[in-house]
Amino acid sequence: MKARKVTAAAAAVLALSVTATACGSDDKDDKGSGGKKITIGIKFDQPGVGLKTPDGYTGFDVDVATYVAKELGYEAGDIEWKETPSADRETALQRGDVKFIAASYSINDERKQKVDFAGPYLLAHQDLLVRSDDKISKGTDLNGKKLCSVTGSTSAQNVKKEIAPKAQLREYGTYSECIDGLGSGAVDALTTDDSILAGYAAQEQYKGKYKLAGLKLTNENYGIGIKKGDSKLEDQINKALEKMVKDKSWDKAVKKNFGPANYKNEPAPKIGDIVK
């Protein structure tokens, strides 16, 4: 009889312990701490924007994503970074591989059919990167020049079709190859978003060698991609972005990542304000 009482008491203690543990675990999960992780999609190959290095991850998108994650309750150590190339971003969100994506992700109507966006948090423009002594100052100056971008790039096609039809298009596998071509004289200009170009120009080995033409050929509204229909997360991220601008963390991130390239950034955009 005594043994039964001890067993019953032990069972009661065990039950209370399990209940308390469960409650504690829920509390920690809600705060994004206690071992809970968040997976965020970024680019791994864009200096100044999203770059994987031997020492970790750097770039403006990384700083923005880290700030947003903290406002959601996650410390930097809780973040698991996942590479999300342009072609895989919508799929990664739809599958739930990532919680959100900050990866030079321009908001447009086609993408909004598949995913939702918070932001925008940066207004970038398609531009040209040229050698520092180059005289290219307008789009039509590219006629007869060798223009580089990555294979399948809409940026290069846009220039050739709309601005300089006589430009000689060179398509390489990566922007780094275009940079090398620019340095060797194999190409005369590299085109993509000015934020990406500024990131490259700001690298130590390229300082003083290249400059942005400052042409603002298109408007690229960078947003944070989230799974379709998650209005609660969208609202939380938008509030975090507003706070980042208000407390000047946004300005610090711009200066830190793009400053060495003398990047003339636009002011921080207002949430929901999409510039066409």
Side-chain angles (χ1 to χ4, degrees), residues 8 14 28 57 104 161 163 174 187 195 197 220 222 225 253 270:
L14 179 60
K28 288 179 181 179
Y57 300 87
S104 55
K161 290 179 180 178
I163 299 166
T174 66
V187 298
S195 57
L197 297 176
E220 307 295 336
Y222 286 6
K270 292 182 179 180

Side-chain angles (χ1 to χ4, degrees), residues 52-239:
K52 182 180 181 180
T53 75
D55 300 319
Y57 300 87
T58 65
F60 182 72
D61 282 350
V62 174
D63 290 343
V64 170
T66 301
Y67 188 100
V68 169
K70 187 169 184 178
E71 290 301 304
L72 295 177
Y74 299 88
E75 297 301 322
D78 298 328
I79 299 173
E80 293 181 345
W81 301 106
K82 183 176 179 63
E83 184 175 21
T84 48
S86 297
D88 298 339
R89 289 178 297 202
E90 285 83 33
T91 303
L93 288 168
Q94 291 167 342
R95 281 198 309 246
D97 295 344
V98 294
K99 187 72 171 178
F100 63 82
I101 291 176
S104 55
Y105 203 0
S106 297
I107 302 170
N108 62 38
D109 292 338
E110 181 181 352
R111 289 169 180 161
K112 286 168 68 175
Q113 298 300 314
K114 302 174 184 177
V115 300
D116 286 335
F117 287 96
Y121 63 90
L122 182 72
L123 175 59
H125 306 281
Q126 184 185 339
D127 200 356
L128 303 176
L129 188 70
V130 297
R131 288 180 288 276
S132 56
D133 60 352
D134 201 290
K135 303 300 182 183
I136 293 176
S137 60
K138 55 185 183 295
T140 52
D141 289 342
L142 287 169
N143 282 312
K145 300 283 189 178
K146 295 181 286 292
L147 175 66
C148 188
S149 196
V150 296
T151 303
S153 165
T154 56
S155 298
Q157 296 295 338
N158 178 55
V159 170
K160 191 162 176 59
K161 290 179 180 178
E162 306 294 335
I163 299 166
K166 294 182 181 179
Q168 301 169 34
L169 185 58
R170 300 283 189 274
E171 292 184 299
Y172 293 169
T174 66
Y175 290 119
S176 296
E177 291 177 80
C178 283
I179 290 281
D180 291 341
L182 194 57
S184 68
V187 298
D188 300 303
L190 160 60
T191 186
T192 187
D193 296 354
D194 55 6
S195 57
I196 298 172
L197 297 176
Y200 274 102
Q203 298 303 290
E204 190 65 37
Q205 67 269 36
Y206 301 135
K207 285 181 182 177
K209 293 183 178 180
Y210 307 116
K211 65 181 181 181
L212 275 72
L215 302 188
K216 298 185 179 180
L217 300 173
T218 64
N219 295 318
E220 307 295 336
N221 301 270
Y222 286 6
I224 291 184
I226 59 177
K227 193 171 185 177
K228 193 76 176 171
D230 196 341
S231 57
K232 179 180 178 181
L233 180 60
E234 182 180 347
D235 183 59
Q236 290 173 323
I237 293 176
N238 280 335
K239 287 179 179 177

